[in-house]
């Protein structure tokens, strides 16, 4: 769904930071300035041009404070982000998250909401006019964050129960085939090019009609180590949206999904209804 709050910050926050940072080009005193920004979006991005001084980023989502303890914050630095260190700050103590100049393509840094806020501090530069610090951020339920960033058996096939739950809770559910796979060694990821035969659900418009034929297509990312390859047959693809990208969750062969869905339905155990054909 379209999020006007996120769009507002994407459009206006860089302008605000641009104006406040421009003074760093001409006023030496601004090198020690600390500015605070308050964001009420569940996701968005920050772009700090000509960084001097520091920023305290306060994430204040429009949810009950009682739910804060269940939230995880994830940030993904822009590919060319430079000019500042990013810290996790709580009660005056700083823990370095991203060092200025660190190049880790697609790396995501996550922490519990109750672990502190973000403190972005500019590093000394000879020419700050060439520096832009920026990152995307997302707030999500701790369970979802754990699913996205689990390090234990990330390519393990899902059990029948996990598949049926994924059908109910995923951001996208489609029946489709693997048309091609592009491996990105530097980012340790694979891009699965999917031809969609049936679209059950999608949170964002990742899968779209293309060409005059009216076929639905889209891309899903997964870890390179999972060794995904093109092949015959249909799959049921499920997964989550993460920083604007579709990330693969459970993906059984479609005939296997039909079997497990029918068995669960016959026993009255399927957690939600979805047409398996």
């Amino acid at each position: 769904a379209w999020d006007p709050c996120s769009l507002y910050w994407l459009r206006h926050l860089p302008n605000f930071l641009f104006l406040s940072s421009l003074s760093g080009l001409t006023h030496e005193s601004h090198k020690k300035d600390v500015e605070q920004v308050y964001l009420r979006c569940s996701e968005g991005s920050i772009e700090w041009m000509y960084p001097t001084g520091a920023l305290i980023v306060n994430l204040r989502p429009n949810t009950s404070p009682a739910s804060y303890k269940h939230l995880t914050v994830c940030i993904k630095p822009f590919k060319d982000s430079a000019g500042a260190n990013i810290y996790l700050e709580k009660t005056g103590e700083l823990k370095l998250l991203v060092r200025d100049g660190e190049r880790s393509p697609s790396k995501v840094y996550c922490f519990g909401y109750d672990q502190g806020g973000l403190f972005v501090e500019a590093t000394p530069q000879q020419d700050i006019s060439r520096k832009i610090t920026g990152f995307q951020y997302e707030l999500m339920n701790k369970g979802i964050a754990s699913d996205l960033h689990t390090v234990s058996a990330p390519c393990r096939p899902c059990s029948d129960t996990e598949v049926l739950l994924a059908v109910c809770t995923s951001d996208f559910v489609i029946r489709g085939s693997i048309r091609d796979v592009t491996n990105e060694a530097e980012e340790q990821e694979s891009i699965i090019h999917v031809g969609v035969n049936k679209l059950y659900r999608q949170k964002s418009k990742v899968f779209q009609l293309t060409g005059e034929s009216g076929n639905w297509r889209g891309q899903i990312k997964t870890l390179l180590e999972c060794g995904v390859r093109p092949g015959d047959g249909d799959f049921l693809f499920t997964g989550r949206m993460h920083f604007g990208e579709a990330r693969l969750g459970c993906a059984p062969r479609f005939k296997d999904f039909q079997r497990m869905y029918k068995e669960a339905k016959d026993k009255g155990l399927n957690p939600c209804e979805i047409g398996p054909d």
Side-chain angles (χ1 to χ4, degrees), residues 11 48 52 59 68 93 96 122-123 129 179 192 199 225 255 268 275:
R11 180 187 296 174
W48 187 10
T52 60
L59 300 177
Y68 288 175
E93 295 186 9
L96 183 63
T123 53
S129 67
R179 299 177 57 85
I192 307 170
L199 178 66
E225 64 185 270
K255 62 180 181 180

Side-chain angles (χ1 to χ4, degrees), residues 179 193-196 206-210 213 215-219:
R179 299 177 57 85
H193 303 269
V194 178
V196 180
V206 174
F207 305 97
Q208 297 186 0
L209 287 169
T210 59
S213 62
N215 295 326
W216 288 77
R217 295 183 182 179
Q219 297 180 350

Side-chain angles (χ1 to χ4, degrees), residues 22-90:
L22 262 179
S23 57
L25 293 172
T26 55
H27 297 286
E28 193 73 17
S29 61
H30 283 267
K31 288 185 176 180
K32 297 183 179 180
D33 281 357
V34 177
E35 298 200 49
Q36 296 202 47
V37 292
Y38 293 84
L39 307 181
R40 294 195 175 275
C41 311
S42 60
E43 60 184 77
S45 65
I46 293 176
E47 185 175 23
W48 187 10
M49 302 180 71
Y50 316 148
T52 60
L55 289 177
I56 297 175
V57 181
N58 300 281
L59 300 177
R60 297 290 187 268
N62 290 315
T63 59
S64 168
S67 66
Y68 288 175
K69 63 181 178 181
H70 302 296
L71 293 178
T72 291
V73 181
C74 291
I75 67 170
K76 181 180 180 180
F78 294 162
K79 184 177 181 180
D80 298 321
S81 178
N85 293 322
I86 303 175
Y87 298 89
L88 179 62
E89 185 274 332
K90 187 172 184 180

Side-chain angles (χ1 to χ4, degrees), residues 75 77 81 84-87 95-102 109:
I75 67 170
S81 178
N85 293 322
I86 303 175
Y87 298 89
K95 177 183 177 181
L96 183 63
L97 282 179
V98 188
R99 188 181 302 278
D100 182 17
E102 184 176 325
Y109 304 80

